[in-house]
Amino acid sequence: CCYSIKQSKVMRNYKEYFERKTELLGNGWREHPSGCVPSALALITGRTFEDAVEYATEKLGYDRKTGVNSDRLYRLLDSSTRWKKIGIQDFCNEYKVNGRIVIRRPRAKNLAKKFSRGKYLLMTSGHATAILEGELIESNPKRIVNAVYEYVG
């Protein structure tokens, strides 16, 4: 299926991320300081950033300065037939510390290596990003992932 390991592309620095995101979305995303959800949706669905902003404003209550309500976003993704939730428990690391088992959620860069095919939306604490065919479009690849959705639609 979609969990093959291949050479993934992870942004090495902010300049590389900035240039790649501008190449994919144009310059409009720069005017939205909290535009991670519309950016990720535009990258994944192949629509323009402006269309994604319009959609996020209408469906998710997106605001340029505060972003979207994550509860509304999760509800929309869970109820949609275009998105398939992938359990991250398969990608968590488990180890012992002082006799106690600790489970660590995966980082975005590690999931980019696992998801070499397809388009994925990664939800982190207060942020959303995209993986496109193994390429992580993210300024901070060390973010810890809370949820993963595959775009099937």
Side-chain angles (χ1 to χ4, degrees):
C1 174
C2 50
Y3 307 122
S4 65
I5 296 184
K6 72 162 194 154
Q7 185 65 22
S8 63
K9 174 113 172 84
V10 176
M11 304 288 146
R12 288 185 177 35
N13 56 45
Y14 188 77
K15 182 181 178 199
E16 185 179 342
Y17 156 76
F18 190 84
E19 289 169 355
R20 180 68 174 138
K21 194 168 176 183
T22 301
E23 175 188 329
L24 293 170
L25 292 177
N27 290 323
W29 70 274
R30 294 187 210 175
E31 299 167 11
H32 294 260
S34 295
C36 61
V37 170
S39 293
L41 292 176
L43 289 167
I44 292 169
T45 61
R47 299 186 182 198
T48 65
F49 179 73
E50 291 75 21
D51 287 346
V53 167
E54 187 177 313
Y55 177 81
T57 302
E58 180 184 316
K59 299 281 187 185
L60 302 169
Y62 169 72
D63 178 54
R64 216 177 137 238
K65 293 181 181 177
T66 59
V68 302
N69 180 303
S70 61
D71 291 336
R72 284 177 77 176
L73 178 59
Y74 282 121
R75 274 191 306 243
L76 178 78
L77 293 171
D78 288 335
S79 65
S80 175
T81 57
R82 294 178 178 222
W83 297 94
K84 177 182 155 193
K85 186 169 185 174
I86 296 175
I88 61 168
Q89 62 274 11
D90 297 338
F91 307 104
C92 292
N93 294 326
E94 203 173 283
Y95 55 94
K96 279 189 175 184
V97 175
N98 296 331
R100 290 183 21 198
I101 295 176
V102 177
I103 298 173
R104 192 177 94 197
R105 292 188 311 256
R107 296 189 183 272
K109 67 179 182 176
N110 296 336
L111 288 180
K113 295 174 186 173
K114 305 255 190 236
F115 300 133
S116 60
R117 292 188 192 141
K119 298 175 181 182
Y120 300 88
L121 177 68
L122 304 182
M123 302 298 297
T124 65
S125 181
H127 188 63
T129 190
I131 294 177
L132 308 173
E133 306 296 334
E135 180 182 11
L136 177 64
I137 311 295
E138 173 58 62
S139 60
N140 180 3
K142 294 183 178 180
R143 288 183 189 270
I144 295 175
V145 177
N146 296 329
V148 179
Y149 290 87
E150 180 180 13
Y151 183 67
V152 293

